[in-house]
Amino acid sequence: QVQLVESGGGLVQAGGSLRLSCAASGRTFSSYAMGWFRQAPGKDVREFVASISRSGGRTYYRDSVKGRFTISRDNAKNTVYLQMNSLKPEDTAVYYCGADHTYYPFRGEYWGKGTLVTVSS
């Protein structure tokens, strides 16, 4: 089993940047693909944002964040990151870190509790 803890959320103005981190403990971090999902306020659907393969060599993004968000991982630190640039109000959501056996499609077998990102206009 993998325990995941997200951090780095907060309030930022449109056009600004944030970097989310997700620290993992438990079973071997490098044996899992990692990903980020988000859930906007008032919406029931949790949507895929980005994922990264176990080695970090391959990534996948939803279209609306391509060119603005970058997912990366440091297997020595058991941490995955989501660098978010040029943030928009529609990026406002609770962001969840997940672990799975494949980076695509990424569905998430283990999840953290989330971190809130609020982008003001």
Side-chain angles (χ1 to χ4, degrees), residues 107-121:
R107 296 186 178 89
E109 181 174 355
Y110 303 103
W111 293 101
K113 294 183 178 181
T115 185
L116 177 63
V117 172
T118 304
V119 184
S120 63
S121 57

Side-chain angles (χ1 to χ4, degrees), residues 2-119:
V2 179
Q3 291 79 43
L4 304 171
V5 179
E6 302 95 335
S7 62
L11 174 64
V12 63
Q13 288 188 331
S17 298
L18 279 176
R19 188 175 82 156
L20 306 184
S21 299
C22 174
S25 60
R27 296 185 64 182
T28 305
F29 176 72
S30 59
S31 67
Y32 288 93
M34 300 298 295
W36 292 90
F37 271 63
R38 67 186 181 187
Q39 186 167 358
K43 292 191 176 180
D44 293 331
V45 178
R46 189 180 293 191
E47 64 182 19
F48 169 83
V49 177
S51 60
I52 188 166
S53 62
R54 286 172 286 183
S55 67
R58 291 170 288 182
T59 57
Y60 190 75
Y61 298 91
R62 71 178 299 108
D63 286 346
S64 63
V65 307
K66 285 180 181 177
R68 299 190 298 123
F69 291 11
T70 302
I71 188 171
S72 61
R73 66 189 296 163
D74 186 336
N75 286 346
K77 295 183 178 180
N78 285 7
T79 302
V80 62
Y81 305 97
L82 186 67
Q83 178 67 43
M84 305 185 295
N85 299 329
S86 302
L87 282 161
K88 304 175 181 181
E90 52 263 43
D91 295 317
T92 295
V94 177
Y95 283 72
Y96 297 90
C97 170
D100 204 341
H101 296 288
T102 179
Y103 85 105
Y104 183 79
F106 185 92
R107 296 186 178 89
E109 181 174 355
Y110 303 103
W111 293 101
K113 294 183 178 181
T115 185
L116 177 63
V117 172
T118 304
V119 184

